[in-house]
């Protein structure tokens, strides 16, 4: 299904994260898992995008694209293509990175360096899921394959070498801390899990580890509710009939993929009355949010959404800035290595072909000349041959040097193509300009942060 | 220096030190703060008790026959209660909220000149002693409830502000504070009821129960205090009041207690 990479295919990322948009805006353009195949198809059909991975997590909605050159407005339009009702202002605030900057961004996201909770590990699993889904749908080609595979490696390297994961305070950890500040004894509390999100499950596990014994599970898919209930020793309750169970719950964890709020103000007012206004902790870790913000203003109701929890987790991280800096330095090194590999891969065929072509010409001319000089002794023949080799090497030295420099700076493709065209001609072993080659990593960042303009991969 | 002055200054200094250490331990966890707080409080209790005994000897009557002087007993019991109940209630930060009140009550009791004198005001008898003892015990309960209510609001504000760190991290859970507040209401109200009944009984036995007694501001505000706390408890039981509102009204209600104790003499 994936079309072959074009010589002008460029890695591009367009998206919004917690830094440029609060949750009430991010949730408007979040993708539900079931939306992803349709959204990918739309992008290919309408915008001729060759490769695409959509990463829609709590902190971000991002499109990683392998596409021919896209103008900025078109790239931003892509982000909103699936969500027509979305305000244009969000599209304008979206960041857009190309080439090396896009790869750097992906590496940092995968390593948890771009998360609100620096070093969190959940994002890597979410990216792998998004990548797996796009691959299964045929939307991952050589460009995204190489950069995502490297991102997974970089994430592991950063995690093991910086100790980021040890220093972090997780979102479930923060949720438990809030629970302990509200309730005296968690062993007596009832937890209701609504939905089956990954973070919700982790939060539940943390609460169980803190002593929670009574768990109710509600899921639109009854089987999933029963499976989770079996796993944690809880009870499955019907999703559409959970009203009688809401007043029993002291802690409610919401992590559904519902596009609309599951718990609204009217519903929770009745619940608060039935609970005789005993405090209730609601952890809304879904994007889009499952609980109306007004619920959090009710007396005795403590509502925290994912931004609240992650912000607290980020604030409580020890040595955050040092670890972040160390992580970014590792990403920078890994990006340089990755780009160097791509440079070598991109430039070497042209260099090898050019060298071979000139030496073939040299050998052919040498043979022709030697045939006209039969009186030469072997020593003289060797001297002449050495002279031709040195001559070709000297002629090649400067072009090769320039070609490598240009490739390293990302602009090698036109020169390589020109050299091939000028010198390789129609030599059967020489790759021609325009033939499929390793995909490009355009280095031109449209909007970047520190390091903008660093060497990008070249083709 | 006279013994009264010496013990007064000593008690003031040590109550001040206890308040300082208690607040410092609450605001920022300090090494050795707990030990210093314990030592300062015990020292303050000893100096405070010595001051009361010396004053009692000087005046010839115990500090229970006039409300301002009763504040000395009240503050001593509150200081002791704050130290003892912090473990019982699981509220380590309790002294940070009670010790400034103790200091203020001690100053009020020692300096407002409300110590009775002369044989006319010398009132003896078990009924009076019990009346005062139960009233002071009720006030101590309400004072601790006042502290619990303040802590409840502090903790709730931190939770609503999405803050896990800071001083609120040294406060117990909202449930613990709510339980403590409820407990003080449940124990304080019967004690106050008993005190009022004993007071009326004592006045009746002395033959002074009548219109004049009923118009006594001490009596009026004693009854108002009782009515306020009874209403809070009733409303809480009936779910008209809960959570933050109970805390806010309990704080206001303690204002009535303080006025009853220190302000009513100005209405005489």
């Amino acid at each position: 299904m994936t079309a072959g990479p074009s010589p002008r295919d460029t890695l591009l990322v367009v998206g919004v994260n917690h830094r440029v948009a609060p949750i009430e805006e991010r949730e408007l353009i979040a993708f539900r898992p079931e939306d992803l195949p349709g959204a990918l198809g739309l992008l290919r059909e309408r915008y001729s995008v060759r490769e695409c991975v959509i990463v829609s997590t709590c902190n971000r909605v991002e499109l990683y694209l392998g596409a021919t050159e896209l103008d900025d407005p078109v790239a931003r339009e892509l982000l909103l293509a699936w969500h027509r009702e979305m305000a244009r202002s969000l599209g304008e605030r979206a960041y857009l990175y190309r080439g090396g900057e896009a790869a750097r961004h992906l590496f940092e996201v995968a390593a948890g360096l771009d998360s609100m909770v620096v070093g969190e590990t959940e994002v890597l699993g979410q990216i792998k899921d998004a990548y797996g889904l796009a691959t299964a749908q045929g939307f991952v080609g050589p460009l995204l394959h190489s950069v995502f595979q490297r991102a997974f490696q970089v994430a592991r390297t950063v995690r093991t070498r910086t100790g980021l994961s040890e220093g972090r305070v997780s979102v479930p950890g923060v949720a438990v801390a809030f629970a302990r500040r509200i309730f005296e004894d968690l062993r007596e509390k009832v937890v209701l899990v609504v939905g089956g999100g990954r973070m919700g499950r982790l939060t539940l596990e943390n609460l169980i580890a803190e002593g929670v014994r009574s768990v109710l599970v509600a899921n639109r898919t009854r089987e999933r509710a029963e499976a989770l209930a079996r796993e944690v020793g809880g009870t499955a309750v019907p999703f559409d009939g959970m009203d009688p169970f809401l007043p029993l719950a002291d802690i409610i964890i919401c992590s559904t993929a519902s596009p609309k709020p599951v718990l609204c103000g009217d519903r929770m007012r009745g619940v608060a009355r039935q609970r005789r206004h005993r405090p209730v902790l609601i952890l809304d870790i879904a994007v889009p949010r499952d609980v109306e913000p007004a619920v959090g203003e009710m007396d005795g109701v403590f509502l925290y959404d994912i931004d609240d929890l992650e912000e607290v987790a980020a604030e409580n991280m020890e040595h955050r800035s040092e670890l972040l800096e160390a992580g970014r330095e590792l990403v920078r090194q890994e990006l340089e290595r990755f780009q160097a590999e791509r440079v070598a891969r991109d430039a070497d065929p042209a260099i090898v072909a050019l060298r071979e072509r000139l030496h073939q010409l040299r050998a052919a001319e040498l043979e022709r000349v030697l045939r006209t000089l039969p009186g030469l002794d072997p020593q003289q023949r060797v001297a002449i041959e050495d002279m031709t080799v040195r001559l070709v090497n000297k002629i090649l030295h400067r072009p090769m040097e320039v070609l490598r420099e240009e490739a390293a700076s990302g602009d090698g493709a036109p020169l390589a193509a020109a050299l091939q065209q000028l010198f390789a001609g129609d030599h059967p072993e020489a790759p021609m300009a325009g033939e499929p080659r390793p995909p490009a990593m355009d280095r031109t960042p449209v909007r970047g942060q520190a390091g903008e303009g660093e060497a990008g991969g070249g083709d | 220096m006279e013994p009264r002055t010496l013990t007064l200054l000593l008690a003031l200094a040590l109550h001040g030190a206890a308040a300082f250490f208690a607040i410092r331990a609450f605001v920022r966890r300090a090494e050795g703060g707990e030990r210093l707080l314990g030592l300062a409080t015990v020292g303050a209790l000893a100096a405070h008790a010595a001051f009361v005994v010396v004053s009692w000897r000087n005046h010839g009557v115990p500090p229970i026959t006039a409300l301002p002087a009763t504040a000395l007993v009240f503050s001593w019991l509150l200081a002791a209660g704050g130290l003892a109940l912090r473990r019982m209630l699981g509220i380590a930060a309790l002294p940070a909220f009670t010790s400034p009140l103790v200091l203020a009550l001690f100053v009020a009791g020692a300096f407002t000149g409300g110590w009775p004198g002369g044989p006319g005001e010398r009132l003896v008898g078990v009924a009076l002693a019990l009346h005062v003892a139960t009233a002071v015990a009720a006030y101590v309960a309400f004072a601790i409830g006042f502290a619990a209510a303040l802590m409840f609001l502090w903790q709730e504000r931190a939770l609503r502000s999405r803050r896990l760190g800071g001083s609120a991290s040294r406060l117990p859970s909202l449930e613990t504070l709510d339980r403590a507040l409820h407990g003080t209401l449940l124990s304080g109200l019967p004690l106050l009821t008993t005190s009022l009944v004993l007071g009326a009984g004592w006045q009746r036995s002395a033959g002074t129960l009548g219109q004049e007694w009923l118009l006594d501001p001490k009596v009026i505000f004693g009854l108002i205090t009782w009515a306020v706390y009874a209403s809070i408890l009733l409303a809480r039981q009936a779910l008209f009041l809960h959570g933050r509102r109970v805390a806010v009204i309990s704080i206001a209600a303690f204002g009535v207690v303080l006025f009853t104790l220190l302000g009513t003499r100005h209405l005489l």
Side-chain angles (χ1 to χ4, degrees):
Chain A
M1 199 169 166
T2 305
S6 156
R8 296 181 62 220
D9 272 359
T10 295
L11 177 66
L12 182 146
V13 58
V14 57
V16 291
N17 63 11
H18 57 281
R19 274 191 281 275
V20 299
I23 189 169
E24 51 266 32
E25 291 186 317
R26 294 201 310 277
E27 67 188 2
L28 294 175
I29 59 163
F31 290 86
R32 292 177 301 169
E34 57 266 35
D35 292 339
L36 291 174
L40 287 165
L42 178 80
L43 294 175
R44 173 172 290 169
E45 188 182 317
R46 192 181 297 172
Y47 300 95
S48 305
V49 169
R50 290 167 181 274
E51 300 179 46
C52 181
V53 174
I54 298 175
V55 176
S56 184
T57 71
C58 305
N59 282 165
R60 68 195 64 250
V61 179
E62 290 177 339
L63 269 53
Y64 290 87
L65 305 161
T68 50
E69 203 64 38
L70 290 170
D71 293 337
D72 287 10
V74 175
R76 289 196 164 89
E77 190 182 325
L78 279 173
L79 184 64
L80 310 177
W82 188 252
H83 303 275
R84 292 178 187 283
E85 76 277 16
M86 191 49 222
R88 304 305 302 173
S89 64
L90 187 52
E92 286 158 15
R93 269 181 285 148
Y95 44 79
L96 188 58
Y97 300 116
R98 295 177 193 274
E101 283 298 297
R104 179 193 54 75
H105 179 75
L106 175 61
F107 292 178
E108 289 190 357
V109 171
L113 300 175
D114 195 58
S115 299
M116 195 181 281
V117 183
V118 174
E120 58 126 330
T121 53
E122 289 80 16
V123 68
L124 182 60
Q126 290 165 327
I127 292 176
K128 283 182 175 174
D129 288 348
Y131 171 77
L133 190 142
T135 304
Q137 299 285 325
F139 284 89
V140 172
L143 175 55
L144 290 191
H145 173 76
S146 65
V147 75
F148 270 81
Q149 289 300 326
R150 180 54 70 99
F152 301 150
Q153 287 175 20
V154 171
R156 279 193 294 273
T157 305
V158 169
R159 195 152 295 140
T160 52
R161 288 178 55 187
T162 61
L164 264 172
S165 301
E166 287 89 46
R168 80 197 175 103
V169 179
S170 67
V171 166
V174 171
V176 169
F178 274 122
R180 298 195 79 85
R181 294 278 283 273
I182 295 169
F183 303 111
E184 193 168 7
D185 187 354
L186 291 178
R187 287 172 301 180
E188 298 167 359
K189 301 303 166 195
V190 176
V191 177
L192 169 64
V193 184
V194 185
R198 182 200 296 259
M199 195 71 86
R201 194 188 175 92
L202 286 171
T203 304
L204 174 63
E205 286 169 4
N206 273 253
L207 286 167
I208 289 171
E210 290 291 318
V212 164
R213 291 183 292 212
S214 304
V215 178
L216 303 171
V217 184
N219 197 306
R220 282 189 202 280
T221 311
R222 178 83 190 179
E223 293 72 32
R224 285 187 193 168
E226 285 171 350
L228 179 57
R230 264 197 308 276
E231 201 176 312
V232 300
T235 308
V237 300
F239 186 88
D240 293 323
M242 67 174 158
D243 276 11
F245 300 96
L246 283 171
L248 303 176
D250 301 291
I251 301 170
I252 302 174
I253 303 170
C254 290
S255 61
T256 77
S258 169
K260 290 181 179 171
V262 175
L263 298 179
C264 60
D266 289 341
R267 197 176 188 185
M268 287 309 295
R269 257 185 291 279
V271 170
R273 268 196 303 274
Q274 288 182 64
R275 284 182 58 76
R276 298 168 70 89
H277 299 283
R278 280 178 291 126
V280 57
L281 169 64
I282 303 178
L283 302 163
D284 184 359
I285 42 191
V287 180
R289 286 171 295 177
D290 282 341
V291 187
E292 280 184 355
V295 170
E297 290 162 17
M298 293 163 55
D299 198 10
V301 177
F302 296 90
L303 168 65
Y304 300 100
D305 62 33
I306 189 71
D307 270 12
D308 298 331
L309 298 172
E310 295 203 330
E311 203 170 309
V312 174
E315 282 169 6
N316 286 277
M317 185 173 179
E318 290 178 12
H319 314 301
R320 181 174 177 271
S321 55
E322 292 92 331
L323 291 172
L324 190 58
E325 197 47 51
R328 284 188 174 145
E329 175 58 23
L330 269 176
V331 165
R332 194 184 61 74
Q333 291 170 10
E334 290 291 329
L335 181 63
E336 278 180 3
R337 196 169 298 141
F338 178 60
Q339 289 176 323
E341 287 170 14
R342 295 186 68 82
V343 164
R345 206 188 316 162
D346 289 359
D348 275 359
I351 292 170
V352 169
L354 182 58
R355 185 183 293 280
E356 280 182 2
R357 178 64 177 143
L358 289 189
H359 278 290
Q360 281 170 356
L361 288 172
R362 178 196 59 79
E365 286 304 306
L366 179 66
E367 195 180 337
R368 194 172 61 77
V369 168
L370 290 179
R371 271 204 302 272
T372 62
L373 298 168
L376 295 176
D377 60 32
Q379 201 173 357
Q380 289 169 322
R381 291 172 71 91
V382 168
I384 291 171
E385 186 170 356
D386 284 351
M387 186 269 291
T388 62
V389 168
R390 280 198 303 275
L391 187 64
V392 168
N393 282 347
K394 280 181 187 296
I395 291 167
L396 277 172
H397 178 72
R398 182 58 188 156
M400 293 301 100
E401 205 173 61
V402 172
L403 183 59
R404 284 185 200 280
E405 284 171 5
E406 290 296 298
S409 67
D411 297 330
L415 186 59
L419 283 171
Q420 283 177 24
Q421 199 169 359
L422 286 172
F423 294 100
D426 59 353
H427 190 274
E429 293 179 17
M432 302 298 290
E435 276 184 2
R437 291 165 302 142
M441 292 262 296
D442 190 324
R443 67 183 282 271
T444 314
V446 170
R447 180 178 157 190
Q449 300 164 348
E452 194 172 87
E454 282 180 3
D459 61 350
Chain B
M1 192 180 286
E2 287 184 11
R4 188 175 184 277
T5 311
L6 180 68
T7 50
L8 171 66
L9 292 176
L10 204 57
L12 265 179
L14 288 167
H15 274 309
F20 171 77
F21 289 131
I23 292 169
R24 193 181 70 155
F26 174 61
V27 173
R28 60 181 178 90
R29 198 181 295 276
E31 285 294 317
E34 292 284 309
R35 192 162 167 268
L36 287 171
L37 170 62
L39 287 172
T41 309
V42 170
L45 285 170
H48 187 144
F51 171 73
V52 169
V53 169
V54 170
S55 299
W56 184 348
R57 203 170 56 191
N58 286 355
H59 289 92
V61 288
I64 59 169
T65 54
L67 285 178
T70 309
L72 289 172
V73 180
F74 176 21
S75 55
W76 191 92
L77 283 172
L78 184 56
L83 202 62
L85 289 175
R86 61 198 292 243
R87 295 205 188 283
M88 197 185 296
L89 297 174
I91 307 176
L94 187 61
F97 291 81
T98 53
S99 55
L101 187 62
V102 167
L103 181 63
L105 287 167
F106 178 76
V107 169
F111 292 99
T112 51
W115 201 291
E121 291 190 31
R122 183 174 298 170
L123 300 162
V124 287
V126 177
L128 172 66
L130 283 175
H131 161 67
V132 173
T134 48
V136 168
Y139 290 171
V140 168
F142 294 147
I144 290 172
F146 163 76
L150 281 176
M151 285 186 269
F152 183 97
L153 293 180
W154 194 303
Q155 181 70 282
E156 206 219 17
R157 191 176 168 192
L159 287 166
R160 298 248 175 238
S161 310
R162 286 99 171 99
R163 278 190 287 112
L164 271 182
S167 309
S169 64
R170 288 182 274 286
L171 291 175
S173 69
L174 283 183
E175 269 192 349
T176 304
L177 293 167
D178 189 57
R179 187 173 52 81
L181 174 56
H182 188 57
T184 59
L185 294 176
L186 281 176
S187 53
L189 193 65
L191 284 168
L192 187 61
T193 310
T194 307
S195 173
L196 289 171
V197 170
L198 286 171
W202 167 65
Q203 291 285 347
R204 188 179 177 184
S205 66
T208 52
L209 187 66
Q211 193 177 2
E212 193 181 339
W213 177 78
L214 277 172
L215 292 175
D216 184 342
K218 293 196 298 282
V219 177
I220 293 170
F221 275 90
L223 290 170
I224 289 174
T225 305
W226 183 89
V228 167
Y229 276 101
S231 304
I232 294 173
L233 204 55
L234 198 65
R236 192 185 188 283
Q237 295 297 107
L239 296 180
F240 294 124
L241 284 179
H242 42 80
R244 182 174 33 188
R245 287 178 194 163
V246 173
V248 170
I249 295 175
S250 298
I251 289 168
F254 189 67
V256 181
V257 171
L258 289 180
F259 185 79
T260 306
L261 192 66
L262 303 171
T264 49
R265 77 190 189 104
H266 298 295
L267 300 178
L268 288 168

